[in-house]
Amino acid sequence: MSEKNLLYANVGCVILLGVLLFLSLVTAEADATQQVMILISEIIGGITLVVAILSLYYIKSDQKYLPLSILCFLAPWLLYGIGYEVGFDASTPHTWIWFISLYMLLIAGFIFIRIGYKKVEGHYKLVSVFLLFINAIFFVYLIFIQIWWSIPFLNR
C-alpha cells in the first residue's frame, strides 16, 4: 500500500471509531444496546490500533506522526476498555491507581498529539485536532467519574 492509502486507512478507522464511541455513549440508557456498541467499538479500536502500528512501520516521511498520534489517542482508551471489561467500579479497591495511570496516559497523549500536530502536513492536521478534542472530553469524563465515585454517602 502507498503512504497515501495508509493515511486514508488511518483517518477512516479513527472516524469510524469516533462515531462508534459517540454511539456507545448515546445508547447508555439501553443496557443491551450499549453492550453491543461497546463490543463493536472495541473491535474497531483493535483494527485501528493494528492499522496505526502498520502505518508507523511503513510510512517513512513526517506523516508518520499521524499514526503515532492515533496510538497516543488509543492508549488511554485501551486502558479504559480493559478496566471496563475487568469490571472496575466504585466498589473496586485501589481505583485511584487506575485513574492515575489513565491521567498520565492522557497527559502524555496530549503532549505527543500536539507534537504530531506540528509535524503532520496538509489536511491531516484535522485528525490531530479531533483526537485532542475527544481525549479532552474523555479527561473531563474521568474527572467526573472519579469525583462521583469518591462521594462519601455512596455506600460501597
Side-chain angles (χ1 to χ4, degrees):
M1 288 179 76
S2 70
E3 179 178 312
K4 188 175 182 179
N5 288 342
L6 287 171
L7 290 172
Y8 283 151
N10 278 301
V11 171
C13 286
V14 166
I15 290 171
L16 182 60
L17 180 63
V19 168
L20 289 172
L21 285 173
F22 175 71
L23 288 175
S24 68
L25 293 174
V26 170
T27 59
E29 192 173 301
D31 201 30
T33 307
Q34 186 187 29
Q35 295 282 337
V36 171
M37 291 308 300
I38 288 173
L39 179 64
I40 293 170
S41 297
E42 289 171 350
I43 292 169
I44 297 300
I47 292 170
T48 305
L49 184 70
V50 169
V51 168
I53 291 171
L54 287 174
S55 298
L56 194 60
Y57 179 74
Y58 286 111
I59 296 175
K60 301 298 181 199
S61 68
D62 273 349
Q63 296 291 66
K64 68 181 172 192
Y65 286 98
L66 180 68
L68 181 65
S69 296
I70 292 171
L71 289 174
C72 292
F73 165 76
L74 287 175
W77 285 98
L78 180 67
L79 183 61
Y80 180 77
I82 290 170
Y84 175 81
E85 292 297 332
V86 169
F88 281 158
D89 59 3
S91 63
T92 306
H94 307 296
T95 56
W96 62 272
I97 295 171
W98 185 59
F99 281 112
I100 295 292
S101 58
L102 277 168
Y103 292 142
M104 288 187 337
L105 277 174
L106 277 166
I107 291 170
F110 288 143
I111 293 168
F112 283 114
I113 293 171
R114 179 72 173 126
I115 291 169
Y117 175 78
K118 292 178 182 179
K119 301 277 185 171
V120 173
E121 302 164 354
H123 58 279
Y124 296 111
K125 285 183 180 261
L126 290 175
V127 175
S128 296
V129 173
F130 173 75
L131 298 177
L132 280 172
F133 177 72
I134 296 299
N135 268 1
I137 291 173
F138 185 47
F139 188 76
V140 171
Y141 171 75
L142 284 176
I143 290 172
F144 175 77
I145 291 296
Q146 187 175 16
I147 290 170
W148 185 260
W149 285 0
S150 298
I151 295 177
F153 58 82
L154 293 176
N155 293 329
R156 298 174 185 218

